[in-house]
C-alpha cells in the first residue's frame, strides 16, 4: 500500500528541477507579455483604474493597488521577473517561490479582466511548489549545499570525527514523496479531469466545437483560420 502511494504521489527530484525551470520560463514569458501593457492594464492611466479595481473586488487586496503610477506597476512586474529568474536558477528557491506566488496573485487581483484559466493554474502550481524542495538538485542552492557538506567532511576528517562524516548526505534520495508532491500531482490531474467534464456539451458531441473556437478572431492564428476550410477535419 505504501509503495503504491509512493508511486502515485512521489516525484523524482530531477523531474521537479525541470519543472521548476519550466515554470520560471513561463513566468518570465508572461511578464514580458504584460510589461508593454503596464500602463493600459494596471495603471490609473489605463481602462481599469485602481479605484475601479477596489470597487470590483472589495474583499481582495493587491500590492499593485497601493499606487496607480506606471512606474510602480512596472517595478512590480520587474520584481516578479527577478524573482522568477532566482526561482529558475534555484537560488534561495523557497523564498523565491513564495515571492513569485505573492507577486503573481497581486498582479492578477489588480486586473482580473485580462486573465485566462492558465493564470489560475499558475497560481495554484506556485502555491503547492512552496511545500516542495524544488531546489534540491540542479540549482545554485544544491551546489552551495554540496560545497558546505564537502567542507564539513573535510573538517570532520581533520578532527577525526567519522560520525559526522557518515551523517552528511546519509538521508539524500532521488525520490521525494510529500504532501506537496501529492497535491501538485492532484492539481494537474484536476486540470485535465475538469477540462474533460467541461467538454461534455452539445458542441463537442456534434463536432462543431473546434470550428466555434477557431472563429474567435481575438485568439486564432493564421493557421487556425486556414483550418476553417476543412470542416470535416475539424469534426474529426
Amino acid at each position: 500500500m505504501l509503495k503504491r502511494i509512493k508511486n502515485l504521489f512521489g516525484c523524482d527530484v530531477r523531474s521537479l528541477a525541470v519543472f521548476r525551470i519550466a515554470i520560471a520560463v513561463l513566468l518570465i514569458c508572461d511578464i514580458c507579455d504584460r510589461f508593454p501593457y503596464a500602463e493600459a492594464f494596471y495603471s490609473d492611466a489605463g481602462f481599469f483604474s485602481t479605484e475601479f479595481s477596489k470597487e470590483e473586488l472589495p474583499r481582495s487586496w493587491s500590492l499593485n493597488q497601493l499606487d496607480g503610477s506606471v512606474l510602480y506597476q512596472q517595478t512590480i512586474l520587474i520584481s516578479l521577473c527577478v524573482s522568477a529568474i532566482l526561482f529558475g536558477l534555484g537560488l534561495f528557491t523557497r523564498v523565491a517561490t513564495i515571492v513569485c506566488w505573492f507577486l503573481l496573485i497581486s498582479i492578477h487581483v489588480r486586473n482580473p479582466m485580462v486573465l485566462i484559466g492558465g493564470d489560475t493554474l499558475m497560481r495554484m502550481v506556485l502555491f503547492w511548489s512552496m511545500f516542495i524542495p524544488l531546489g534540491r538538485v540542479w540549482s545554485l542552492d544544491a551546489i552551495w549545499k554540496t560545497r558546505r557538506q564537502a567542507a564539513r567532511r573535510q573538517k570532520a576528517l581533520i578532527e577525526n570525527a567519522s560520525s559526522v562524516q557518515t551523517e552528511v548526505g546519509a538521508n539524500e534520495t532521488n525520490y521525494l514523496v510529500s504532501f506537496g508532491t501529492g497535491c501538485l500531482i492532484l492539481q494537474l490531474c484536476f486540470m485535465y479531469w475538469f477540462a474533460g467534464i467541461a467538454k461534455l456539451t452539445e458542441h463537442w458531441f456534434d463536432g462543431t466545437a473546434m470550428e466555434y473556437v477557431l472563429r474567435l478572431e481575438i485568439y486564432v492564428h493564421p493557421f487556425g483560420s486556414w483550418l476553417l476550410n476543412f470542416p470535416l477535419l475539424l469534426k474529426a
Side-chain angles (χ1 to χ4, degrees), residues 54-198:
K54 292 178 180 179
E55 291 176 5
E56 288 294 303
L57 301 166
R59 297 182 180 179
S60 299
W61 184 87
S62 169
L63 192 64
N64 296 65
Q65 292 175 342
L66 299 179
D67 192 319
S69 67
V70 178
L71 179 61
Y72 179 77
Q73 301 302 324
Q74 290 175 336
T75 302
I76 296 291
L77 290 169
I78 292 172
S79 299
L80 178 55
C81 186
V82 172
S83 301
I85 292 172
L86 294 178
F87 177 65
L89 293 174
L91 181 59
F92 309 116
T93 310
R94 195 177 297 277
V95 174
T97 307
I98 295 172
V99 173
C100 285
W101 175 74
F102 178 76
L103 292 179
L104 189 67
I105 285 182
S106 184
I107 293 169
H108 288 178
V109 170
R110 174 61 181 82
N111 190 348
M113 297 182 67
V114 293
L115 301 181
I116 60 174
D119 295 312
T120 302
L121 181 64
M122 179 65 80
R123 293 197 304 270
M124 295 306 302
V125 162
L126 281 174
F127 176 78
W128 296 124
S129 295
M130 293 190 294
F131 304 98
I132 306 172
L134 295 180
R136 178 173 290 187
V137 298
W138 299 351
S139 67
L140 293 179
D141 286 343
I143 293 173
W144 289 355
K145 182 180 179 181
T146 302
R147 289 180 178 177
R148 288 197 301 269
Q149 289 178 345
R152 288 177 61 186
R153 283 196 295 268
Q154 186 174 4
K155 183 179 179 181
L157 287 173
I158 294 174
E159 296 176 354
N160 198 22
S162 58
S163 58
V164 177
Q165 182 181 0
T166 304
E167 178 185 354
V168 174
N171 296 321
E172 293 295 331
T173 177
N174 284 333
Y175 205 76
L176 178 67
V177 184
S178 68
F179 170 80
T181 59
C183 290
L184 180 62
I185 291 172
L186 284 175
Q187 183 69 64
L188 297 176
C189 289
F190 289 156
M191 175 190 69
Y192 287 107
W193 290 341
F194 289 108
I197 292 173

Side-chain angles (χ1 to χ4, degrees), residues 199-213 230-236:
K199 290 176 173 60
L200 300 178
T201 61
E202 179 183 352
H203 293 298
W204 283 96
F205 282 113
D206 64 17
T208 60
M210 288 305 301
E211 181 179 355
Y212 174 78
V213 170
F230 308 95
L232 291 178
L233 176 63
L234 296 181
K235 273 197 171 186

